[in-house]
Amino acid sequence: MQKIEPKAAALAERYGSDAIPAAGPWNEVVASLLTHRSVRGYVPTPVPKGTLETMIAAAQSAATSSNLQTWSVVAVNDPATRAEFAKIANNQQHIVECPVFLAFCADISRNERMAAVEGTKLEALPYVETFLVAAIDAALAAQNAVVAAESLGLSTVYIGAMRNNVQRVAELLALPPGVVCVFGLCVGYPKPGAESSVKPRLAQPAILFHERYDASRDEAHRKAYDAALSRYSKAHEMSQYTWTERVLNRMGPIKSMSGRDKLKAALQALGFRLD
Amino acid sequence: MQKIEPKAAALAERYGSDAIPAAGPWNEVVASLLTHRSVRGYVPTPVPKGTLETMIAAAQSAATSSNLQTWSVVAVNDPATRAEFAKIANNQQHIVECPVFLAFCADISRNERMAAVEGTKLEALPYVETFLVAAIDAALAAQNAVVAAESLGLSTVYIGAMRNNVQRVAELLALPPGVVCVFGLCVGYPKPGAESSVKPRLAQPAILFHERYDASRDEAHRKAYDAALSRYSKAHEMSQYTWTERVLNRMGPIKSMSGRDKLKAALQALGFRLD
């Protein structure tokens, strides 16, 4: 009985009590993953010595495509740089506040430098595929860093808005050609009131299919999830909204992209040809 | 003393004994992340009931950009489909063998269907940015699934070679426009002899920078890592090789891309305009 309760409670928080999936094996690690919340407000308390190195050891332990290791990370403390990042990211003040801020980068420059020294050329470099490998490598690494940080009692939030102006971010971090910051990550201890609740997600059958893709129940899942997110947002956030409202606001008008509609040209300027 | 030992040993395995980073806090979760190994051979033993649902609950608990949830996953058991995937992936037989095979997809079609029902248009859909968000969402989710699986005593390996022919994969999975399989994932129990050792990575200072990017010690890191990987491959794999040899083989000739040099056109054919 005591073992069942936390699992059922965790699943109910993540999916709503009317959409609990038939999850099987469970342990402390899974329980910790289920309780993830993004936190957007930090106290200045520093993290324990060596925390960054522990997180990066976890990050480097993630799989990396063909062991190419096409990613890098820049830890940024300088307040002026942090302030500029916050401005680029539509004034997200947690970028300034958090004790650890990491700029995760897709990085094909290391491999390119190696080839230059060896007097050869890497024909794969200019392709969309290679940029994608590097971005996915960075994401797998970052998620391991997040899991490690959260297991140590820290909170995190990804900053996709670094992509609002990747060229300015590259200047600030002195990134060579072939390196681009694909997202940032804040790490630290939550401000009072900033630790949100677990946000419900779409029911599992909306995103998990068997053998073939099946959108036939999409509308039913969406209606149920609109209701769940409406209840959640009313209880926990400033205003009440449905998932549909959120998605239409976020992806509808081009201006909601905050400049990221120009990402392709910016990537090309930074040395990713995207052939 | 007993607490120090496993940490030092784990770091020495991951970095080689001459490049141990000054990691700080440590726990069972971090220890589990550090021991990740990709496994390329599985016994047919099924996974416990509900394991897939547990893994996907972990996956859905990862952060997702603006809660857009632009990813999906297809669990594939059909032997004929698995066999075709293995062929696409240059005959990786573990795709056929493993008890659980997951095709992780970047998916902007769910949002598009919503907008169609609501009688509006999502202007953000055709951009590189939106494809990147979806691919990163899929990667964060997949990594949580991997962490959950490994914590439950299972092994995994990512299959990037699904991208050798994303159009054929899309046909086999009946993916609608706006969905592409960005990688696969094998999950199961290792065949005798298939459980490899922890593979060393580049030293932390080769990928972790402070304040600004700094490639000035690149060559020293590469030489040390070439030696470490040469020792590792001699001890654990069929042939002995350096990191430099591996990277030059993998990224040098265009034919090493196994068709992925055509990924851009394939993505566009699948409904990602990449503007």
Side-chain angles (χ1 to χ4, degrees):
Chain A
M1 284 294 276
Q2 276 163 314
K3 282 206 157 174
I4 302 296
E5 269 317 310
K7 174 178 161 183
L11 290 166
E13 269 201 288
R14 182 57 73 195
Y15 290 101
S17 51
D18 51 347
I20 297 180
W26 204 257
N27 61 22
E28 293 294 307
V29 176
V30 173
S32 164
L33 296 173
L34 264 280
T35 61
H36 165 77
R37 280 83 55 106
S38 294
V39 165
R40 294 182 176 81
Y42 293 90
V43 291
T45 315
V47 300
K49 193 167 183 298
T51 298
L52 175 61
E53 289 76 9
T54 297
M55 287 173 58
I56 301 304
Q60 289 191 269
S61 298
T64 153
S65 182
S66 302
N67 199 30
L68 297 174
Q69 305 183 58
T70 48
W71 63 281
S72 292
V73 60
V74 187
V76 179
N77 285 318
D78 178 57
T81 309
R82 294 258 204 125
E84 252 201 270
F85 287 164
K87 221 175 103 190
I88 287 167
N90 303 329
N91 289 313
Q92 296 190 49
Q93 281 311 302
H94 34 280
I95 296 174
V96 175
E97 294 167 354
C98 62
V100 177
F101 183 80
L102 302 177
F104 276 90
C105 300
D107 186 350
I108 59 171
S109 78
R110 190 180 300 112
N111 309 77
E112 196 167 18
R113 286 191 293 277
M114 166 203 290
V117 173
E118 298 291 325
T120 184
K121 209 178 157 238
L122 302 181
E123 293 182 1
L125 286 182
Y127 289 90
V128 163
E129 158 68 12
T130 306
F131 170 66
L132 183 59
V133 159
I136 291 175
D137 260 16
L140 300 180
Q143 187 57 22
N144 259 18
V146 163
V147 171
E150 293 185 346
S151 81
L152 295 168
L154 293 157
S155 292
T156 65
V157 65
Y158 283 105
I159 309 294
M162 300 290 276
R163 296 193 302 275
N164 290 354
N165 190 345
V166 288
Q167 287 176 281
R168 183 63 187 139
V169 171
E171 280 170 21
L172 288 164
L173 298 178
L175 303 182
V179 190
V180 60
C181 175
V182 282
F183 49 79
L185 183 73
C186 299
V187 184
Y189 302 100
K191 258 188 198 168
E195 193 168 31
S196 52
S197 304
V198 167
K199 184 175 280 184
R201 298 279 195 239
L202 281 164
Q204 261 196 18
I207 68 106
L208 169 63
F209 307 111
H210 293 272
E211 306 303 342
R212 278 175 182 71
Y213 196 95
D214 176 13
S216 62
R217 301 211 53 235
D218 246 28
E219 278 300 293
H221 292 309
R222 178 162 74 98
K223 288 205 167 70
Y225 186 52
D226 272 348
L229 205 60
S230 182
R231 284 193 298 274
Y232 173 89
S233 60
K234 188 178 180 184
H236 298 289
E237 303 193 4
M238 311 279 263
S239 58
Q240 188 174 359
Y241 55 86
T242 64
W243 189 54
T244 300
E245 285 166 352
R246 194 67 154 204
V247 172
L248 299 185
N249 282 338
R250 187 61 191 72
M251 302 182 101
I254 200 90
K255 71 171 177 345
S256 72
M257 295 187 78
S258 301
R260 291 188 235 172
D261 49 315
K262 297 178 184 70
L263 182 64
K264 183 188 193 171
L267 288 170
Q268 290 172 331
L270 293 176
F272 295 90
R273 254 175 35 196
L274 305 179
D275 284 356
Chain B
M1 285 294 276
Q2 277 164 313
K3 282 206 157 175
I4 302 296
E5 271 316 310
K7 174 178 161 183
L11 290 166
E13 269 202 288
R14 182 56 74 194
Y15 290 102
S17 51
D18 51 348
I20 297 180
W26 204 257
N27 60 23
E28 293 294 307
V29 176
V30 173
S32 165
L33 295 174
L34 263 280
T35 61
H36 165 77
R37 280 85 54 106
S38 294
V39 165
R40 294 182 176 81
Y42 293 90
V43 291
T45 315
V47 301
K49 196 169 182 294
T51 298
L52 174 62
E53 289 75 9
T54 297
M55 286 174 58
I56 301 304
Q60 289 192 269
S61 297
T64 153
S65 182
S66 302
N67 199 29
L68 296 175
Q69 305 184 57
T70 48
W71 64 282
S72 291
V73 60
V74 187
V76 178
N77 285 318
D78 178 57
T81 308
R82 294 261 203 124
E84 252 202 270
F85 288 165
K87 221 175 102 190
I88 288 168
N90 303 330
N91 289 311
Q92 296 190 49
Q93 281 311 303
H94 35 278
I95 297 174
V96 175
E97 294 168 354
C98 63
V100 177
F101 183 80
L102 302 176
F104 277 90
C105 301
D107 186 350
I108 59 171
S109 79
R110 189 181 299 113
N111 310 79
E112 196 166 17
R113 285 190 294 276
M114 166 203 291
V117 174
E118 297 292 325
T120 183
K121 209 178 156 239
L122 302 182
E123 294 182 0
L125 285 183
Y127 289 91
V128 163
E129 159 68 12
T130 305
F131 169 65
L132 183 60
V133 159
I136 291 175
D137 261 15
L140 300 180
Q143 187 57 21
N144 259 19
V146 163
V147 171
E150 293 186 344
S151 81
L152 295 168
L154 293 158
S155 292
T156 64
V157 64
Y158 283 106
I159 309 293
M162 299 290 276
R163 297 193 301 275
N164 290 353
N165 191 346
V166 288
Q167 287 175 281
R168 183 62 188 140
V169 171
E171 281 170 20
L172 289 164
L173 299 177
L175 303 182
V179 190
V180 60
C181 174
V182 282
F183 49 78
L185 183 73
C186 299
V187 184
Y189 301 100
K191 258 188 198 167
E195 192 166 33
S196 52
S197 304
V198 167
K199 184 176 279 184
R201 298 279 195 237
L202 281 163
Q204 261 195 18
I207 68 106
L208 169 63
F209 307 112
H210 293 272
E211 306 303 342
R212 278 175 181 71
Y213 196 96
D214 176 14
S216 62
R217 302 213 51 237
D218 245 28
E219 278 300 293
H221 292 309
R222 179 162 73 98
K223 288 205 167 70
Y225 186 52
D226 271 349
L229 205 60
S230 182
R231 282 192 301 272
Y232 173 88
S233 60
K234 188 179 181 184
H236 298 289
E237 303 193 4
M238 310 279 264
S239 58
Q240 187 174 358
Y241 55 85
T242 65
W243 190 55
T244 300
E245 285 166 352
R246 194 69 155 205
V247 172
L248 299 186
N249 282 339
R250 187 63 191 70
M251 303 183 100
I254 200 88
K255 72 170 175 346
S256 70
M257 295 187 77
S258 302
R260 291 187 234 173
D261 48 315
K262 296 176 184 72
L263 183 65
K264 182 187 192 172
L267 288 170
Q268 289 172 332
L270 293 176
F272 296 89
R273 255 179 30 200
L274 305 179
D275 285 357

